[in-house]
Amino acid sequence: MKPILSIMYTVLSLGIASLSGFSIWAVSWIGMDISYLLSSVYALAGAAVVFTGLKVVGRHKMLKNIGMSGREYKFVKENLIEGKEKIKRLQKSMFSFKDLLASKQNYEVLRKVKRIDSLVRNEPKRFYQAESFYFYHLNSLVELTEKHAFLNKQPHRTVDLVISLNETRDAIKLLEKQIDSDLGILLEGDIQTLHMELDMAKKTLNKKPLIK
């Protein structure tokens, strides 16, 4: 479930649960002459049961819509949380460069990384198409970028330091190509779907009789 829809559903569930709790309290205290304190306890318990039930129903519907089991969704969600923290580290390292050209290149890489993460967050089932990105490429990119940022801040440029910077930069460029490939894999299905829709549209237009 997308974040905005999840928030809306939670607010709606709270509203229904609150209304249910008030109804239980009113019936218990006014209709059944049960003590105010006990009626309040019943109301809170009833509201909690209704809210929990709605959350369970909502989760079941959400899992059905995205075609995943509860275990799969939990696994993906945990990895997305870890991925978000890694992207924060990556962004922090990339923004530490003062060189304009390096900053521009870093922005492009970061944009692609965030695009992949956004696609998977909107459709969690796509995670399995991006496992290499989350488990390998993102990890390596974060580590190399942090290393490069650290070395780049050193005041004394020795021969070994320059060599290490160049090697790290080359490795990052290779990872950029892997990130491009990861994004391409994710978008492949969308591109194929678009081509199919275009073909259907062309066939429909070709069959449509001309209006005289």
Side-chain angles (χ1 to χ4, degrees), residues 1-2 13 19 75 81 87 104 107 160 162 171 181 197 204:
M1 189 179 296
K2 295 181 179 180
S13 299
L19 183 60
F75 171 75
I81 292 173
I87 292 173
K104 184 178 180 181
Y107 172 78
D160 288 339
V162 173
S181 177
E197 291 175 352
T204 302

Side-chain angles (χ1 to χ4, degrees), residues 133-150:
F133 168 76
Y134 284 101
F135 292 149
Y136 305 108
H137 303 154
L138 181 58
N139 288 340
S140 298
L141 186 61
V142 172
E143 291 173 4
L144 287 172
T145 304
E146 288 179 338
K147 178 184 177 183
H148 189 265
F150 171 76

Side-chain angles (χ1 to χ4, degrees), residues 113-172:
V113 166
K114 287 186 174 182
R115 177 59 176 157
I116 292 172
D117 191 58
S118 176
L119 287 169
V120 176
R121 287 182 183 279
N122 287 331
E123 296 182 49
K125 201 170 183 178
R126 290 191 185 215
F127 176 83
Y128 298 105
Q129 294 176 279
E131 283 184 304
S132 294
F133 168 76
Y134 284 101
F135 292 149
Y136 305 108
H137 303 154
L138 181 58
N139 288 340
S140 298
L141 186 61
V142 172
E143 291 173 4
L144 287 172
T145 304
E146 288 179 338
K147 178 184 177 183
H148 189 265
F150 171 76
L151 293 175
N152 196 53
K153 290 179 181 179
Q154 302 310 307
H156 302 293
R157 294 296 176 100
T158 64
V159 175
D160 288 339
L161 178 60
V162 173
I163 292 174
S164 295
L165 279 169
N166 290 335
E167 289 178 346
T168 306
R169 194 179 297 113
D170 290 341
I172 291 174

Side-chain angles (χ1 to χ4, degrees), residues 22-72:
F22 177 78
S23 300
I24 293 172
W25 175 83
V27 171
S28 299
W29 188 44
I30 299 173
M32 302 178 67
D33 199 26
I34 298 175
S35 68
Y36 179 86
L37 181 60
L38 193 56
S39 296
S40 298
V41 172
Y42 289 160
L44 289 173
V49 169
V50 171
F51 180 74
T52 302
L54 289 172
K55 291 290 287 184
V56 170
V57 171
R59 178 179 171 81
H60 176 75
K61 186 176 181 181
M62 179 269 292
L63 291 173
K64 185 177 179 180
N65 287 338
I66 64 177
M68 298 178 72
S69 67
R71 181 178 297 180
E72 287 176 323

